[in-house]
Amino acid sequence: MRVLIADDHDLLRDTLVEYLQTQGSFEVACAGDLDTALTMVENGATFDLILLDLKMPGMDGLNGLTRALAAGGGQRVALMSGNCTRQTAERAIELGAAGILPKTMSAKSMVNAMKFMALGEVYAPADFLNAMDSAETHPLTRNLTKREQQVLRGLTEGKANKEIARDLDVQEPTVKLHMKTLYRKLGVANRTQAALIAREAGLY
């Protein structure tokens, strides 16, 4: 199975590639941005599945997905995301995405999902979509802006400010400002307390 993984997060990409290579049945190519991935396809490389990080350079939201789907070869294209709304996930599938993989998945689950999509199926884990819904309607988040909810999700996933900023395509000082108001609204003093409250509430 030939797979192209396009993600500008080196650690995650390299870890996934390393794991796939131990499985024996995968041939893996890598790219750090959308343009590099598309150039590979336009130069004649064919893949059973192309995995694109929703937030990497060149994606421009779902426009990058549309470009990849139009690149030719009839290759299946799926998205990876650490943080996206249910609306975005559903729209991606409407546009023709083979599925959406949460970055919080274990490597083993991700491999199974990739095989599933390569067979022509659509993968959208219900628990991931339901988690988005519950976060948007939970009383704890009622007073939080959409961006503050996204920052809170990043905190519960143990991400550093720099990683959250990259996922949300904002500057690190902006994340710190959101955290300040987030702590005030939740009545906590630090990121650990905020993450603990969110986990105890079953938000993420």
Side-chain angles (χ1 to χ4, degrees):
M1 180 175 165
R2 286 179 54 78
V3 180
L4 170 59
I5 298 173
D7 192 330
D8 64 323
H9 194 286
D10 295 344
L11 180 60
L12 185 142
R13 186 185 67 230
D14 294 346
T15 301
L16 181 55
V17 168
E18 194 175 312
Y19 182 80
L20 289 175
Q21 288 172 339
T22 67
Q23 299 303 295
S25 57
F26 286 89
E27 234 182 282
V28 190
C30 297
D33 56 62
L34 180 65
D35 288 339
T36 303
L38 293 183
T39 298
M40 292 169 74
V41 174
E42 286 159 4
N43 286 342
T46 57
F47 302 96
D48 298 297
L49 183 68
I50 298 172
L51 276 181
L52 303 176
D53 173 25
L54 182 60
K55 300 292 184 181
M56 72 177 168
M59 283 299 284
D60 186 25
L62 293 177
N63 289 333
L65 170 65
T66 305
R67 287 177 61 199
L69 288 167
Q75 293 146 127
R76 310 214 75 214
V77 182
L79 296 175
M80 296 184 292
S81 176
N83 198 320
C84 86
T85 65
R86 185 185 186 109
Q87 184 180 7
T88 299
E90 290 177 345
R91 179 64 183 144
I93 290 166
E94 282 173 16
L95 289 170
I100 183 155
L101 302 179
K103 288 189 173 181
T104 50
M105 288 178 83
S106 69
K108 186 177 179 181
S109 297
M110 197 171 279
V111 166
N112 289 334
M114 288 162 66
K115 289 178 179 176
F116 185 74
M117 291 185 291
L119 289 171
E121 302 294 339
V122 173
Y123 184 84
D127 55 348
F128 182 52
L129 298 178
N130 291 338
M132 296 176 199
D133 278 352
S134 64
E136 289 168 10
T137 58
H138 197 284
L140 189 67
T141 62
R142 200 167 289 149
N143 295 326
L144 302 182
T145 65
K146 175 70 74 177
R147 188 63 93 197
E148 286 163 358
Q149 289 182 41
Q150 291 170 333
V151 169
L152 180 58
R153 185 185 183 98
L155 288 180
T156 62
E157 291 171 356
K159 292 181 178 176
N161 291 356
K162 188 176 181 180
E163 289 178 288
I164 296 172
R166 190 194 70 86
D167 284 346
L168 302 181
D169 197 23
V170 297
Q171 298 297 313
E172 197 172 339
T174 304
V175 171
K176 289 178 180 176
L177 284 173
H178 286 307
M179 282 186 177
K180 203 170 180 181
T181 56
L182 180 64
Y183 295 166
R184 179 174 53 78
K185 289 179 179 180
L186 294 178
V188 298
N190 55 50
R191 64 196 301 128
T192 305
Q193 290 176 4
L196 189 62
I197 282 178
R199 286 199 197 99
E200 286 177 346
L203 278 178
Y204 305 111

